[in-house]
Amino acid sequence: QRINGQLKGLKSSELKRLEKLFNRRFDREELVPPELGREIFSIGDDLGRRVGVLVSREGRVEEVVVGTREILYLPDLGRYRLGRGRLRRLKLIFSDLSKNHDQVHIPADHYADLEKLRLDMVIGVRTRNRLTSMAYAYLRPLGNAEGEATHTEQVRDLGGFELDYATFMEELEDELSQTQGAAVATQHDGTVLVGVYDKRFPGFESSMAELKELARTAGVKVIDTVIQRRDLDPRTLLGKGKLEEVVLRCLRLGAEILIFDCELKPGQWRQITNQTELKVLDRSMLILDIFAQRAKSSEGRLQVELAQLKYNLPRLVEQDTGLSRLTGGIGGRGPGETKLEIGRRRIRDRIIDLERRIEELSQQRHLRRTRQRESRIPSVAVLGYTNVGKSTLFNALSKSQVLAEDKLFATLDPAQRRVVIPAKITGSGADLPFVISDTVGFIRDLPVELKTAFRATLEELNQADLLVHVLDASDPELMERKAAVDAVLGELQLGDIPQILVVNKIDLILPERAADLSAALEAVPVSAQKREGLERLLAAIAGKLLQLADPAVGAAR
C-alpha cells in the first residue's frame, strides 16, 4: 500500500494522515460512511489538492491518490480484474474543491474514468457548515429511456442518506450484463470509423463512403462514423480530448474496432493504442487485411504477406517499447530487448526470402510473356478503379467465370484468357486473337507496400500492348476515380501505353446521360452485366490493335 499521485511538497505529517486512510474499514452495504467522507474532504481542503480513494466492493481502501486542485489522475488498474457484468468492483470517492456552493460537482474527467475504467461509481464529497454533501454517478444500461450513459444523484446530507450499496450494485450489474451481452452478441466486431480531414480537403464525404465500403468488404459491421475537420494533430491525429470522446462512444456502443481513414504514423498509432484497449486499424491495415482474405494463389499470398511485414516492421518497435523499457539492462542486454531484436531480425529474414520467391515467380511470368510475344499474340489488360466491373467485363469478353463480386478488391490474382475477335468485327478479313488480362483494382492512397509487393501483378500492365480503362458510369465521383487511376499509371510509368476508355454500368443511368458521358470522354459505353455494347468494344479493341501492328492499316480503317 502506497500513496499515488502528486506528492511533491507534502510534509511527513500530511503523508501519515493520508496513509491512515488505508486503515478505514466499513460494511459492504455502506456507500460512503459520513466520517470517511468528512476526512477525505478535510485532507483535500487542507492540502489544496484533490484527494481520492478507491474502495473495493468489500469495503477496503485499495488506493489513495493525490492530484492537483483541478485534476486527479488514477493509477493503472490493470491488476484489478473486471468482475461479472464487466464492472471493476471499485468505487472512487474524492474531495470536491470546486467553488460551486449549490451542489457537489463531479468533473468531466471522472465521468470519463467511470466509463473507460468501468468503475462501480464515482462519488464527490464536500463539507460546508458542518454538513457533508455528496454526489454519486454510475453507469446506465444501454438503451435506457433517457439515452444517457451515466446517471448522477445529489445527496444534501450524507448523514441521513441510506442506500444498500451491495444490493444496488448486484442489481445494476445484472442489468448491465444483460444489455451489454445483447449488444456484444449483435455487434460482434462492431466498428467505429473515424475520418480526420484537413479543412481544405473537399472530398471527405466520398473518402468516408469508400472507407465504409472497404469495411463492408473486410466483413466488419460499421455501427457509427465520426468525422472531424481540423488541422491534424501530429501526436493523436484528432486531438486528445476528441480521442477520449471517440473511445467513450465506442464503449457505449459496444464497438471493438476503431478504423481511421488515413495511414497512421507509427508514433500516432502508439499514442492512440495507449489510450484504449480497442483494436486500432488505419486505412492501409484494412486494405492489407482485405488482400489477405481474398488472395487465393500462392503468389498472391506471398505478395500480401510481404506487404504486411513491410508495413508492420516500423511499428514493431512502437508496439514493444514498453517491454524494452521494463527489461532492458546496461547495454540493452535485457530479455525484452532481445525478444524485440529477434522479432525484427526474423521479419527482415522473411522479407528477404519472400522477395526472392516473388522474383522467381516474376521471372517465370516474364518467360511466359516472351513466348507470347514470339507467337505474335497481342496483350490487352483490363484496369480501373476497384469495383467498377472489370471482372464482369473480363468474363463477358472471354466467356469465362472469374470471380466477380460487388466488393472492393474482388480480384487480386491476375487472370488471363485467349479471346478471338471474328473477322466480321475486325473488318480486316481475318480473325484477330489476343490475350486479355484481369488485374487488381486501383484505389486512392493505396499503401506503398502493396504497390511494391504487387509489382509482379502490375507487370501485366507494363507488358500490355493496350489498356482498357473501365469507368463506372453510375459513380458520382467518376472523374475523381479516373484521375486517381491516371495518377497511379503515371507513378508506374505506364502513361504512354495506348488506352481505350470504357464507360460501364450504363444500364444504371439514363440513356441521354450515357450518350453525353461517352461523347465527352470519347469512351465506349457498355453494360457488362447486361452484355450490351460488347461488340462495339471488341471493334474498338481490334481497331487499336491493328493500328499498333500496322499504322497504315489502322489509318485506313
Side-chain angles (χ1 to χ4, degrees):
Q1 292 179 335
R2 66 186 184 87
I3 306 166
N4 294 285
Q6 303 290 327
L7 307 182
K8 188 176 181 180
L10 295 184
K11 301 175 183 177
S12 59
S13 59
E14 293 170 334
L15 291 173
K16 287 180 180 179
R17 191 177 174 191
L18 288 164
E19 288 172 356
K20 286 182 179 179
L21 291 172
F22 284 112
N23 300 326
R24 293 281 186 174
R25 294 289 185 276
F26 47 92
D27 294 336
R28 60 193 304 270
E29 289 80 13
E30 286 186 284
L31 181 59
V32 181
E35 62 274 12
L36 177 63
R38 285 192 291 269
E39 180 67 12
I40 290 173
F41 177 79
S42 175
I43 295 174
D45 193 37
D46 291 343
L47 297 180
R49 307 183 190 188
R50 198 185 302 177
V51 172
V53 296
L54 286 165
V55 182
S56 70
R57 193 83 58 87
E58 291 70 34
R60 293 190 306 270
V61 175
E62 302 285 353
E63 303 277 354
V64 176
V65 189
V66 180
T68 65
R69 190 175 189 89
E70 294 78 20
I71 299 176
L72 180 69
Y73 288 113
L74 298 186
D76 176 27
L77 301 181
R79 61 186 179 278
Y80 297 103
R81 188 174 57 189
L82 289 173
R84 182 173 56 86
R86 300 181 65 189
L87 289 182
R88 190 73 63 173
R89 300 184 65 84
L90 292 172
K91 57 187 172 186
L92 169 67
I93 307 172
F94 68 94
S95 53
D96 172 31
L97 304 182
S98 66
K99 296 180 180 179
N100 186 346
H101 299 290
D102 297 330
Q103 57 184 9
V104 177
H105 174 63
I106 298 180
D109 58 314
H110 286 330
Y111 281 109
D113 291 333
L114 178 66
E115 293 189 65
K116 287 175 65 176
L117 302 178
R118 309 296 295 175
L119 298 175
D120 285 5
M121 286 186 179
V122 291
I123 304 164
V125 291
R126 183 180 62 197
T127 301
R128 291 281 190 278
N129 301 323
R130 300 182 181 180
L131 182 69
T132 301
S133 305
M134 171 184 71
Y136 65 96
Y138 55 88
L139 294 175
R140 299 289 303 277
L142 295 174
N144 62 82
E146 293 78 13
E148 297 292 336
T150 61
H151 179 73
T152 305
E153 292 279 357
Q154 293 283 338
V155 177
R156 185 171 180 273
D157 182 8
L158 182 57
F161 179 71
E162 292 185 5
L163 174 71
D164 188 332
Y165 173 67
T167 303
F168 180 85
M169 291 311 305
E170 287 177 5
E171 294 175 353
L172 178 61
E173 277 192 324
D174 285 340
E175 290 185 62
L176 292 172
S177 179
Q178 292 172 10
T179 58
Q180 290 170 358
V184 170
T186 57
Q187 298 181 4
H188 179 65
D189 283 343
T191 302
V192 171
L193 306 182
V194 180
V196 185
Y197 307 103
D198 188 274
K199 296 176 182 178
R200 296 175 292 277
F201 178 60
F204 67 94
E205 291 177 339
S206 63
S207 183
M208 178 56 76
E210 189 170 86
L211 185 66
K212 286 182 183 178
E213 190 63 23
L214 285 168
R216 183 180 76 87
T217 301
V220 297
K221 182 178 180 180
V222 177
I223 56 179
D224 196 16
T225 59
V226 177
I227 294 178
Q228 187 182 35
R229 306 198 68 189
R230 55 163 294 164
D231 296 330
L232 304 185
D233 187 302
R235 288 174 59 82
T236 60
L237 196 68
L238 69 172
K240 184 178 179 181
K242 187 68 175 180
L243 175 61
E244 190 170 85
E245 178 184 322
V246 170
V247 169
L248 290 180
R249 184 154 185 78
C250 290
L251 291 172
R252 292 168 187 168
L253 296 173
E256 298 178 359
I257 305 173
L258 200 58
I259 302 179
F260 286 81
D261 188 22
C262 64
E263 181 172 319
L264 294 173
K265 297 176 181 177
Q268 291 173 333
W269 185 86
R270 177 174 58 84
Q271 289 289 337
I272 294 170
T273 53
N274 284 345
Q275 297 287 325
T276 177
E277 296 178 359
L278 298 169
K279 181 184 290 185
V280 178
L281 303 177
D282 62 14
R283 181 187 177 91
S284 297
M285 293 177 186
L286 183 62
I287 293 173
L288 287 168
D289 184 75
I290 294 170
F291 272 51
Q293 290 181 44
R294 307 188 76 84
K296 302 301 180 185
S297 69
S298 58
E299 182 180 1
R301 288 194 291 269
L302 290 176
Q303 291 169 331
V304 169
E305 185 182 355
L306 176 61
Q308 287 179 322
L309 290 176
K310 285 188 172 182
Y311 188 82
N312 289 327
L313 181 59
R315 288 158 180 79
L316 184 66
V317 179
E318 300 293 342
Q319 293 176 41
D320 284 353
T321 48
L323 182 63
S324 302
R325 273 201 309 272
L326 286 172
T327 55
I330 297 174
R333 293 193 299 264
E337 290 187 334
T338 302
K339 181 179 178 181
L340 176 61
E341 288 300 326
I342 289 173
R344 292 167 65 184
R345 192 179 307 112
R346 285 177 176 170
I347 288 180
R348 291 195 186 100
D349 291 344
R350 181 62 176 165
I351 287 174
I352 292 171
D353 180 56
L354 290 172
E355 288 178 335
R356 177 186 58 78
R357 294 168 65 181
I358 290 173
E359 184 61 32
E360 291 174 357
L361 291 171
S362 178
Q363 290 174 3
Q364 294 173 14
R365 282 178 172 276
H366 179 70
L367 182 60
R368 287 198 299 269
R369 283 193 295 268
T370 302
R371 290 173 180 170
Q372 179 183 313
R373 275 200 215 92
E374 290 173 353
S375 65
R376 296 184 179 179
I377 299 179
S379 173
V380 176
V382 180
L383 64 91
Y385 209 79
T386 185
N387 205 30
V388 294
K390 298 183 299 300
S391 294
T392 305
L393 181 62
F394 175 87
N395 288 336
L397 293 175
S398 62
K399 297 181 176 59
S400 57
Q401 296 296 322
V402 168
L403 175 67
E405 290 184 279
D406 183 23
K407 289 185 177 180
L408 305 186
F409 302 119
T411 301
L412 291 188
D413 304 311
Q416 290 185 327
R417 298 291 185 274
R418 191 173 186 270
V419 178
V420 178
I421 304 176
K424 65 177 183 178
I425 295 179
T426 66
S428 62
D431 294 346
L432 177 61
F434 68 94
V435 174
I436 187 170
S437 302
D438 189 19
T439 60
V440 63
F442 291 32
I443 196 168
R444 181 176 54 231
D445 301 328
L446 188 69
V448 175
E449 291 80 9
L450 273 178
K451 291 181 187 176
T452 304
F454 276 75
R455 73 182 190 281
T457 305
L458 297 173
E459 283 173 4
E460 297 294 339
L461 301 177
N462 193 40
Q463 301 299 324
D465 299 296
L466 177 65
L467 302 179
V468 175
H469 184 169
V470 184
L471 304 170
D472 181 353
S474 64
D475 187 352
E477 305 285 337
L478 180 147
M479 296 308 297
E480 287 79 4
R481 305 281 192 253
K482 179 180 180 299
V485 173
D486 289 339
V488 175
L489 290 175
E491 292 174 11
L492 299 173
Q493 299 180 343
L494 302 175
D496 295 333
I497 299 178
Q499 277 191 40
I500 291 178
L501 282 180
V502 175
V503 178
N504 189 24
K505 305 184 185 181
I506 59 170
D507 54 305
L508 301 180
I509 62 174
L510 295 172
E512 298 80 11
R513 167 65 177 160
D516 293 342
L517 200 57
S518 303
L521 295 172
E522 297 182 358
V524 180
V526 302
S527 172
Q529 189 73 40
K530 304 277 188 180
R531 301 297 197 267
E532 297 175 3
L534 299 184
E535 189 170 313
R536 182 176 175 183
L537 175 57
L538 286 172
I541 291 173
K544 278 286 188 181
L545 292 178
L546 289 172
Q547 183 180 4
L548 292 170
D550 188 344
V553 173
R557 291 185 82 250

